[in-house]
Tab-separated table of all heavy atoms in Angstrom:
chain	number	residue	atom	x	y	z
A	61	TYR	N	81.211	106.998	108.955
A	61	TYR	CA	81.725	107.142	107.618
A	61	TYR	C	83.184	106.838	107.751
A	61	TYR	O	83.906	107.285	108.665
A	61	TYR	CB	81.500	108.611	107.141
A	61	TYR	CG	81.942	108.866	105.773
A	61	TYR	CD1	81.004	108.769	104.695
A	61	TYR	CD2	83.269	109.241	105.412
A	61	TYR	CE1	81.330	109.061	103.435
A	61	TYR	CE2	83.645	109.447	104.118
A	61	TYR	CZ	82.621	109.343	103.073
A	61	TYR	OH	83.068	109.592	101.823
A	62	MET	N	83.736	106.000	106.816
A	62	MET	CA	85.086	105.581	106.835
A	62	MET	C	85.934	106.226	105.767
A	62	MET	O	85.476	106.377	104.638
A	62	MET	CB	85.246	104.104	106.751
A	62	MET	CG	84.551	103.353	107.989
A	62	MET	SD	85.259	103.797	109.556
A	62	MET	CE	86.897	103.220	109.447
A	63	GLY	N	87.155	106.584	106.151
A	63	GLY	CA	87.997	107.160	105.071
A	63	GLY	C	89.424	106.716	105.134
A	63	GLY	O	89.889	106.219	106.244
A	64	TRP	N	90.110	106.824	104.023
A	64	TRP	CA	91.526	106.544	103.906
A	64	TRP	C	92.260	107.846	103.587
A	64	TRP	O	91.809	108.564	102.713
A	64	TRP	CB	91.852	105.535	102.836
A	64	TRP	CG	91.563	104.126	103.239
A	64	TRP	CD1	90.453	103.340	102.835
A	64	TRP	CD2	92.357	103.252	104.013
A	64	TRP	NE1	90.472	102.174	103.375
A	64	TRP	CE2	91.722	102.052	104.033
A	64	TRP	CE3	93.608	103.316	104.532
A	64	TRP	CZ2	92.264	100.911	104.775
A	64	TRP	CZ3	94.159	102.228	105.182
A	64	TRP	CH2	93.484	101.116	105.315
A	65	PHE	N	93.274	108.125	104.321
A	65	PHE	CA	94.087	109.296	104.211
A	65	PHE	C	95.492	108.857	103.937
A	65	PHE	O	95.807	107.784	104.255
A	65	PHE	CB	93.968	110.111	105.474
A	65	PHE	CG	92.628	110.721	105.808
A	65	PHE	CD1	91.675	109.878	106.301
A	65	PHE	CD2	92.258	112.033	105.604
A	65	PHE	CE1	90.419	110.314	106.616
A	65	PHE	CE2	91.019	112.505	105.858
A	65	PHE	CZ	90.095	111.678	106.420
A	66	ARG	N	96.332	109.798	103.450
A	66	ARG	CA	97.730	109.576	103.257
A	66	ARG	C	98.531	110.799	103.503
A	66	ARG	O	98.026	111.940	103.359
A	66	ARG	CB	98.003	108.977	101.912
A	66	ARG	CG	97.783	109.935	100.740
A	66	ARG	CD	98.102	109.193	99.386
A	66	ARG	NE	97.839	110.117	98.296
A	66	ARG	CZ	97.731	109.701	96.950
A	66	ARG	NH1	97.969	108.432	96.668
A	66	ARG	NH2	97.612	110.576	96.018
A	67	GLN	N	99.766	110.563	103.923
A	67	GLN	CA	100.726	111.721	104.168
A	67	GLN	C	102.107	111.232	103.681
A	67	GLN	O	102.595	110.347	104.133
A	67	GLN	CB	100.749	112.088	105.686
A	67	GLN	CG	101.545	113.331	105.883
A	67	GLN	CD	101.339	113.968	107.258
A	67	GLN	OE1	100.831	113.248	108.123
A	67	GLN	NE2	101.550	115.173	107.377
A	68	ALA	N	102.438	111.912	102.684
A	68	ALA	CA	103.847	111.768	102.106
A	68	ALA	C	104.871	112.674	102.912
A	68	ALA	O	104.501	113.713	103.493
A	68	ALA	CB	103.847	112.077	100.694
A	69	PRO	N	106.189	112.253	102.907
A	69	PRO	CA	107.125	113.141	103.548
A	69	PRO	C	107.146	114.594	103.114
A	69	PRO	O	107.147	114.828	101.837
A	69	PRO	CB	108.440	112.437	103.261
A	69	PRO	CG	108.102	111.038	103.028
A	69	PRO	CD	106.714	111.132	102.317
A	70	GLY	N	107.073	115.505	104.056
A	70	GLY	CA	107.046	116.880	103.732
A	70	GLY	C	105.751	117.507	103.159
A	70	GLY	O	105.661	118.607	102.713
A	71	LYS	N	104.679	116.695	103.111
A	71	LYS	CA	103.495	117.070	102.558
A	71	LYS	C	102.361	116.970	103.685
A	71	LYS	O	102.472	116.314	104.656
A	71	LYS	CB	103.082	116.281	101.353
A	71	LYS	CG	104.022	116.462	100.185
A	71	LYS	CD	103.481	115.732	98.905
A	71	LYS	CE	104.357	116.012	97.742
A	71	LYS	NZ	103.874	115.352	96.497
A	72	GLU	N	101.230	117.717	103.355
A	72	GLU	CA	100.201	117.653	104.245
A	72	GLU	C	99.356	116.346	104.119
A	72	GLU	O	99.454	115.757	102.996
A	72	GLU	CB	99.233	118.898	104.014
A	72	GLU	CG	99.895	120.137	104.403
A	72	GLU	CD	98.919	121.395	104.341
A	72	GLU	OE1	97.750	121.164	103.991
A	72	GLU	OE2	99.255	122.491	104.684
A	73	ARG	N	98.637	116.013	105.107
A	73	ARG	CA	97.748	114.848	104.973
A	73	ARG	C	96.727	115.022	103.942
A	73	ARG	O	96.147	116.150	103.843
A	73	ARG	CB	97.145	114.568	106.397
A	73	ARG	CG	96.338	113.236	106.493
A	73	ARG	CD	95.706	113.167	107.873
A	73	ARG	NE	94.958	114.269	108.255
A	73	ARG	CZ	94.689	114.576	109.445
A	73	ARG	NH1	95.182	113.883	110.441
A	73	ARG	NH2	93.769	115.604	109.679
Side-chain angles (χ1 to χ4, degrees):
Y61 189 92
M62 296 300 297
W64 284 97
F65 297 74
R66 66 186 179 187
Q67 188 165 21
K71 294 188 176 181
E72 293 187 355
R73 185 179 62 202

